[in-house]
Amino acid sequence: MEILTTPQELREQCLDWRVAGLTVALVPTMGCYHLGHQSLMRHAGELARRLVVSLFVNPAQFGPGEDLDIYPKNVERDTAIAEACGADVLFTPSPDVMYAPDHATWVDVPEMAKKLCGQSRPAHFRGVCTVVLKLFLLSQADVAVFGNKDWQQQAIIRRMARDLNMPIRIETRPIAREADGLALSSRNIFLAPEERAQALEIQRGLQHAQELVNHGEKDAVLLQKAVLRCWTERLPLGRLDYLVAVHPETLEPVICVEAPTLMACAVYLGKVRLIDNILLYP
Ligand code: AMP
């Protein structure tokens, strides 16, 4: 595996591959790898002849007061994991080679970006789209793989790729979880023991909604209320950011669960903001 650090090196390497007729898969990440990232990498490796994993804690997607400065880093361990998962290139640029001091161009999907996580993180998806488009352009990848944990992110990237006729396929992987159901996240290490103990209730609450749907409940508001009741009882340390039932592609609110519906949430435990979601099937 090669480690590349500049946009030009990545562009040249991927161009060489393309000229040699080799397809390229891309997995964008911010590092601190867990099994969720590894599942993306292994899957991506099966989709193309060459695999690029990017490891870049993108400052543009963090708002003021968010956890950019303390975002967990372990480049040595990540390098070994990316290699073991079959990456041909690990792209680890610094912020200054990705963003010129007078960087002024942004890609945004504003209607989708202001919903869900966008309500408390207004510039987040603009930062995500901009860096992901840069990575798409540099790698000229045939396929990029994202995780369903960040459902809104993959939905927005799909829309961006479609709207701008990007010649890339977007694939997704299911949410990788701890044995007790907590979605794996680089931020889980920041949870205090009692917060960690309650964090599994996030997923349990969402699963409760599916159980109610199985019993015939279709009213999205009632389903949301039932989940919130679970959390009030069992997740007293949690502070709700949002809980919504929305169309999985458009992210528009759903009134009645008559087709697969995304129930997505963000919950603060202490200072840690955790996201999770479930696709509810009627
Ligand atoms: P991050 O490093 O957190 O920016 O995530 C990089 C990619 O890994 C994104 O596409 C995420 O959706 C995906 N990812 C993060 N956590 C998980 C998880 N628990 N299961 C599946 N994919 C994940």
Side-chain angles (χ1 to χ4, degrees), residues 28-31 34 36-37 40 71 146-147 149-150 153 174-176 183-184:
T29 77
M30 298 204 300
H34 50 60
H37 297 108
L40 267 51
Y71 196 82
F146 295 86
K149 162 139 181 298
D150 301 80
Q153 171 173 278
I175 303 177
L184 294 178

Side-chain angles (χ1 to χ4, degrees), residues 5-64:
T5 57
T6 68
Q8 193 178 340
E9 284 172 335
L10 179 63
R11 189 202 305 278
E12 281 168 10
Q13 173 64 86
C14 292
L15 196 59
D16 286 350
W17 286 336
R18 186 149 291 278
V19 169
L22 299 169
T23 53
V24 177
L26 169 72
V27 178
T29 77
M30 298 204 300
C32 207
Y33 295 148
H34 50 60
L35 290 174
H37 297 108
Q38 293 177 48
S39 121
L40 267 51
M41 293 180 207
R42 290 192 191 282
H43 182 68
E46 287 167 11
L47 300 175
R49 296 283 299 280
R50 292 290 180 267
L51 171 59
V52 173
V53 174
S54 66
L55 194 179
F56 179 55
V57 182
N58 174 31
Q61 69 191 65
F62 288 79

